Amino acid sequence: MLATKHIISIEDLTPAEIELVLDTAESFKEVNERRIKKLPTLRGRTIVNLFLEPSTRTRTSFEIAAKRLSADAVNFSGDASATVKGESLADTAETLSAMVCDLVVVRHRYAGAPQILARHMDAHVINGGDGMHEHPTQALLDLFTMRERLGRLHGLRVGIVGDVCHSRVAGSLVRGLIAVGAHPVLIAPPTLLPARADALGVKAVTSLDDVLPELDVVYLLRVQMERAEGMPFPSLREYARLFGMNEARLARMRPDAIIMHPGPMNRGVEISAGVADSDRSLVLDQVNAGVAVRMAAMYLLLGGED
């Protein structure tokens, strides 16, 4: 089982524990392919999905994972939470703690929200994405998908393309890749790269074409269309021309290299429709892996207590 009580950052897990989560998820993925997908593992446990920021994939994935382990899953969205009435997050945490829930999955628009919950309640906490900080279970399912397709993690060269500076997905994935011995490369316009990529121990470049033939994985980050008017590059068309994955770039990749995206995709911007639907794209594999990986995280936090 895991030594940590919470999964707030990918750095809460040692490299050995990351491998344990992935190995456990592998067995749960087999269960998810059965006709009867339910296990009694967490029967009687209560898991709260506290999503105070809009989400479809992550929230649904956690809910399905909890139900397949026979836990009682309770969902709270931002508009249904007392936080819209002015209640502090600390008060929300203490209220949930008084209801004696066992695990809380939290997504919040502000970084640090999961730490506040963890300080004010006895339950386990999983970070479902906080601000521009981290999204650890996304990194775990990405690592699972890479390992499943390529057979290894150590030594892989993974190009993370796009708005690295503001991405919580990248915040966890970079750290996770380093932990398992892979080599992340940050690829973006200068305005979308962190100020000190070298402080993270990673290489940063401003040309996708220069490094594309060397990569085992091209990991595309979503261009946040809701903020496109304020994006620090000339236009979406310009971004697609320089950093979008299209059929011409696909032809220049290694024969066994793969393409990943955390979703939702902006077709025609960071990825063309043809590439998104090609057999080199593992976007749906990532979605599928999300349920198994989140089942593993819940099981390893809760299943070993008894």
Side-chain angles (χ1 to χ4, degrees), residues 50 81-83 86-99 116-117 120-121:
L50 183 64
S81 167
T83 55
E87 181 178 76
S88 72
L89 192 58
D91 287 338
T92 299
E94 290 172 358
T95 299
L96 291 173
S97 190
M99 295 178 184
I116 293 174
L117 284 180
H120 287 87
M121 61 192 312

Side-chain angles (χ1 to χ4, degrees), residues 15-73:
E17 287 176 326
I18 290 174
E19 293 288 349
L20 174 61
V21 173
L22 303 187
D23 291 342
T24 306
E26 196 170 325
S27 64
F28 281 134
K29 186 174 182 185
E30 294 176 7
V31 171
N32 288 334
E33 292 168 356
R34 299 176 187 171
R35 188 171 64 87
I36 305 297
K37 300 175 176 62
K38 205 141 179 132
L39 296 172
T41 312
L42 298 184
R43 181 179 294 157
R45 301 300 190 116
T46 301
I47 294 174
V48 174
N49 289 324
L50 183 64
F51 277 67
L52 303 180
E53 185 183 45
S55 169
T56 300
R57 284 172 171 77
T58 303
R59 186 195 65 208
T60 304
S61 179
F62 271 111
E63 183 179 359
I64 292 173
K67 289 181 175 179
R68 287 189 179 170
L69 292 171
S70 298
D72 297 313

Side-chain angles (χ1 to χ4, degrees), residues 2-242:
L2 302 178
T4 182
K5 183 177 180 179
H6 312 294
I7 303 178
I8 294 173
S9 166
I10 195 69
E11 292 180 329
D12 290 332
L13 303 172
T14 66
E17 287 176 326
I18 290 174
E19 293 288 349
L20 174 61
V21 173
L22 303 187
D23 291 342
T24 306
E26 196 170 325
S27 64
F28 281 134
K29 186 174 182 185
E30 294 176 7
V31 171
N32 288 334
E33 292 168 356
R34 299 176 187 171
R35 188 171 64 87
I36 305 297
K37 300 175 176 62
K38 205 141 179 132
L39 296 172
T41 312
L42 298 184
R43 181 179 294 157
R45 301 300 190 116
T46 301
I47 294 174
V48 174
N49 289 324
L50 183 64
F51 277 67
L52 303 180
E53 185 183 45
S55 169
T56 300
R57 284 172 171 77
T58 303
R59 186 195 65 208
T60 304
S61 179
F62 271 111
E63 183 179 359
I64 292 173
K67 289 181 175 179
R68 287 189 179 170
L69 292 171
S70 298
D72 297 313
V74 182
N75 297 314
F76 286 93
S77 60
D79 56 357
S81 167
T83 55
V84 300
K85 302 176 183 178
E87 181 178 76
S88 72
L89 192 58
D91 287 338
T92 299
E94 290 172 358
T95 299
L96 291 173
S97 190
M99 295 178 184
V100 199
C101 59
D102 298 293
L103 186 149
V104 176
V105 181
V106 59
R107 168 169 283 200
H108 203 285
R109 62 182 297 187
Y110 295 123
Q115 287 91 333
I116 293 174
L117 284 180
R119 284 199 301 268
H120 287 87
M121 61 192 312
D122 296 327
H124 300 270
V125 175
I126 294 179
N127 181 3
D130 63 328
M132 295 184 293
H133 178 225
E134 283 207 44
H135 194 352
T137 59
Q138 178 70 46
L140 290 168
L141 72 89
D142 291 335
L143 294 175
F144 180 92
T145 304
M146 291 177 201
R147 191 180 76 165
E148 185 177 51
R149 173 59 71 97
L150 299 176
R152 63 188 175 94
L153 291 171
H154 191 274
L156 290 181
R157 286 182 59 82
V158 181
I160 301 174
V161 186
D163 188 3
V164 180
C165 189
H166 303 103
S167 172
R168 58 188 170 204
V169 171
S172 289
L173 184 57
V174 168
R175 294 174 175 88
L177 288 166
I178 293 171
V180 299
H183 306 294
V185 181
L186 308 182
I187 307 164
T191 49
L192 295 181
L193 287 171
R196 288 291 309 277
D198 59 317
L200 299 173
V202 298
K203 178 181 178 181
V205 300
T206 57
S207 171
L208 173 58
D209 290 321
D210 285 351
V211 297
L212 186 61
E214 307 168 8
L215 300 176
D216 299 295
V217 182
V218 176
Y219 192 102
L220 304 166
L221 297 172
R222 182 176 74 92
V223 173
Q224 299 177 48
M225 302 291 283
E226 66 274 15
R227 297 194 307 157
E229 289 185 4
M231 276 298 211
F233 50 76
S235 68
L236 292 176
R237 178 179 293 181
E238 182 79 358
Y239 180 91
R241 184 177 70 83
L242 295 174

Side-chain angles (χ1 to χ4, degrees), residues 228-300:
E229 289 185 4
M231 276 298 211
F233 50 76
S235 68
L236 292 176
R237 178 179 293 181
E238 182 79 358
Y239 180 91
R241 184 177 70 83
L242 295 174
F243 296 96
M245 180 54 62
N246 52 37
E247 286 79 355
R249 288 194 169 105
L250 181 66
R252 296 183 59 236
M253 290 174 60
R254 291 181 175 179
D256 58 345
I258 57 175
I259 296 164
M260 299 176 66
H261 192 302
M265 295 181 290
N266 294 312
R267 292 176 181 241
V269 182
E270 65 263 11
I271 188 168
S272 71
V275 174
D277 297 330
S278 72
D279 58 3
R280 306 281 288 280
S281 169
L282 301 191
V283 177
L284 294 180
D285 297 71
Q286 291 170 263
V287 175
N288 181 270
V291 174
V293 165
R294 285 159 180 148
M295 288 174 71
M298 292 174 178
Y299 167 73
L300 292 170

